[in-house]
Amino acid sequence: TQVRVVTIPNGIAKCADASPFLPHAGSGQLTTLQPAVTPALTACQLPDPANFTGRENNLYRVEVHDAGDLLGAPGGFAFTGLLAGDAAVGAATITLATALTSDQVAAANRSGFVTISDLTGTSERVGLAGVNPAGLVLTLGQPLANAYTAANKAAATGGVARFKWSRDNASFAASVTNVKADRVTITLASVGRDLATAFRQGDLVELSDDASELGPARGHLTFLKSDPDPDVLTVQLADALPPAFQLTGEVSTRHLVIRRWDGVSDASGAFDAASTPGMNLGDGVRVQFSGLDLRPGDYWQFAVRSADGSVQALTNADPHGIKRHRCPLGIFSWGPPPLTSPPSSLPAFTSIQDCRRVFPALIDFPHAEKGFHVNSVFVVNSANAQTPLLNDTDVRVDVFNGLDILCDAPPDPASVSRPSFYINADFPQISNSPTSVWYFPVNLAAVISVDTNKMLISWRLSKETQNSLSEMIQASPGERGVLARLTLKGQFIWALNNPNLFLDGKAFGQRLNATNNTSLQLPSGDGRRGGDFHMWFWIVAAPSFAKLIVVTPAQIYIGESATFTVTLSSSAPAVNNAALTSSNSAVAPVPPTVPVAVGATSFTFVSKGATAGVTTVSVTFPAPPPPAVTPPPTTTLTVLALPLLVGQIPITPPAINVAGTAFGFVTLNSPAPTGGALVTLVTSNAAIAVQPASVTVPAGATSQSFSIAGLAPGTATITATLTWPNGSTSNVSGNISVVRFKGKESFKDAKDREKLKDKEGHTDTFPQKAADKLIDSKTRDAAPGFGLSGSSILSGARSRSFIRPEERPAVEERVLGASRPEGVS
């Protein structure tokens, strides 16, 4: 009986799931070839000799040394792959032209060796340290001793099983009494019985100890570098002992032995004198293998006799020796130091599950009674996805939608109800004194059902109960969570169609891990009729994290404020800080942290626009450390520059009569912010024209009008100035003309008036042609309804105040000239 350790993937906690990882026997087989005797060609010739031509009877032993498959055998994973390039002397890696499959990589790793060769006949076998994930690059255990070129079809062969053989059943061995520090020079207890059996230079030998025999079932195979020294009984090895052989001082404490073999070769599925010469064991003895997955330590024996030249016939024979059966004893979690087989020292470990089938002694009475058992318990979320539940572990309230209990027989639905299946929750009650605490048990309301096909008992709680649990957790921030206790009354739950088969729910605790948590040994049962099933777990708060951030408004002007609202995934379990970051703090700075109150489901903070630009604000809660939610929620805030006055002040009309009215406009380059834009107005001459002291452009608008009143003839400049609190300012201006029109004048006709102008240098106070020119239809249409007084010159566009020349009465030039002194205008 041997106890060995097998490494299994993390997370396996059941013996049934661990059993497939146990070692199993290989399927390799051996056949001894029995060729027919070739008859003599003539009566004068003797027939060819029989199979065995040796001079002594021998017991051959053929033993697998390196695991692997047969090269070229169907279904196997041994391979020969061409190199993608040249491999120089001393190379530590080689690259294949074609990638290996995952099965070929596994076979190569099991074998632990590859053979490099080319068409020149150069070949060497080197250890394999590993294969890259792509299956193209092989890392060698030692540098290459020869160079290989792709032009010579250099190739690597791996995953091939290798065997060793001996004519005398590998019976000659000697103890190793000392190993020098170089691990090459060893001292033997004996160099041989006589000259015929003594060790010699070039002998194939295997060094093995208790660890290699009981562990990998193979030792270190090498050759003797020299003849033994008969005086000091020392000999040198061609290859040093690997580090796996642990030596205490100079003497091995694990019975190191050197054993001689007669030959070694790769295993093949067919014998051929040219292509597989290693299958010829000499003296007419030839073998071939079949099957897959040859394992180290598997061996075959067959006898040969010189008297009749016979070779014991083996045809697809299974390995000889002890037939081994394996079963799991337990699942353990190993700690430091690193696990070796056998362990280099006693590492710390934790028992996860005992896989032994313990049965009572024959003297123990009463005998075990039949019952069905609880195999597993699962937490079920809102999507009915199952997660294994271990005793004394935490379950988040947001994923706790119910439980599934898996049995090894279908329970009778009539026997499973609230009295026989319930879950209690210990609700903490805290009095006025902070040190006075007690727990009030309550039964959780749920729907119970049984699936007889799946042998499941299902327990589903309502959404209201789940919300109540969340409130219970929030009300006790200092607690680990709400303690829940599951109970199945075994003496009241029986199997479907068998009312005499009750639930054997008795389960015993064990240590879960390095902490003080208590696990259960499942399946349940102690061999007694009935028995309640108990387990407990902790319902803990759901992790609260920031899942959404929204800014209102998303676009502001410099100096305005925006409000950020952060929504949490669930109520904050305790007072904590949220971390804030701004991608451009110069645009809109945010505080580095914001406190979040216990129980809060959202919080807000404010940022004020500082400069024009765009910034992205992100929030992480809680902080630090951030929750396992990536990436954190973000939002974008745009800060606009404050609007400025642009262009000039358009005044309609640009000229008015005394006491007339015109309208001016101020225009912004972008909409006015909240509160509007206050523009101050100043005239260059208040005696000529006046306007309001200021005008406000409404929020969201880009322009606003104001009125101008004419007071006296002349020209005035209206200046508008916009100044913001941050100091930015802009101004524009526009001109207004104020005139005084005279009454009607009489001319004989237009010709007389033109002559009078040429002769006396007179001009009309405001000629009709100039008045018509001032009438800008676009300006007038742009400001409809601006009613001007009758004294305005624009009134002539609708009702003229002048008399046309043809309408004026005739006036003699003599009288006019006599009555108007020279120089009068």
Side-chain angles (χ1 to χ4, degrees), residues 543-565:
S544 181
F545 56 88
K547 67 176 184 179
L548 179 66
I549 179 172
V550 177
V551 59
T552 305
Q555 181 174 287
I556 61 175
Y557 286 95
I558 296 174
E560 292 185 332
S561 297
T563 300
F564 293 83
T565 302

Side-chain angles (χ1 to χ4, degrees), residues 4 106 243:
R4 298 190 181 185

Side-chain angles (χ1 to χ4, degrees), residues 162-238:
R162 190 167 65 148
F163 71 95
K164 56 201 173 189
W165 59 273
S166 170
R167 294 184 179 90
D168 56 3
N169 196 29
S171 60
F172 181 67
S175 298
V176 177
T177 60
N178 185 36
V179 180
K180 293 293 182 66
D182 59 4
R183 305 177 78 91
V184 171
T185 304
I186 61 175
T187 303
L188 309 179
S190 171
V191 296
R193 298 186 300 268
D194 49 38
L195 292 177
T197 59
F199 288 109
R200 291 190 178 90
Q201 178 182 2
D203 281 350
L204 176 67
V205 294
E206 179 184 14
L207 287 95
S208 58
D209 59 4
D210 294 343
S212 59
E213 290 285 348
L214 300 177
R218 63 179 181 180
H220 176 56
L221 200 63
T222 184
F223 294 90
L224 294 183
K225 192 175 181 179
S226 62
D227 288 336
D229 188 326
D231 296 326
V232 295
L233 303 181
T234 60
V235 67
Q236 288 192 331
L237 306 177

Side-chain angles (χ1 to χ4, degrees), residues 379 389 393-400 403 473 537-541:
V379 175
L389 174 63
T393 56
D394 295 342
V395 177
R396 283 172 27 194
V397 68
D398 59 321
V399 298
F400 181 51
L403 296 179
I473 297 171
F537 54 95
W538 301 85
I539 305 174
V540 298

Side-chain angles (χ1 to χ4, degrees), residues 359 379 411 439 442 566 651 746:
F359 57 90
V379 175
Y439 300 95
V442 295
V566 180
I651 297 176
S746 299

Side-chain angles (χ1 to χ4, degrees), residues 298-312:
D298 288 350
Y299 70 91
W300 295 261
Q301 292 173 319
F302 56 90
V304 296
R305 292 175 174 82
S306 61
D308 57 1
S310 64
V311 176
Q312 182 180 350

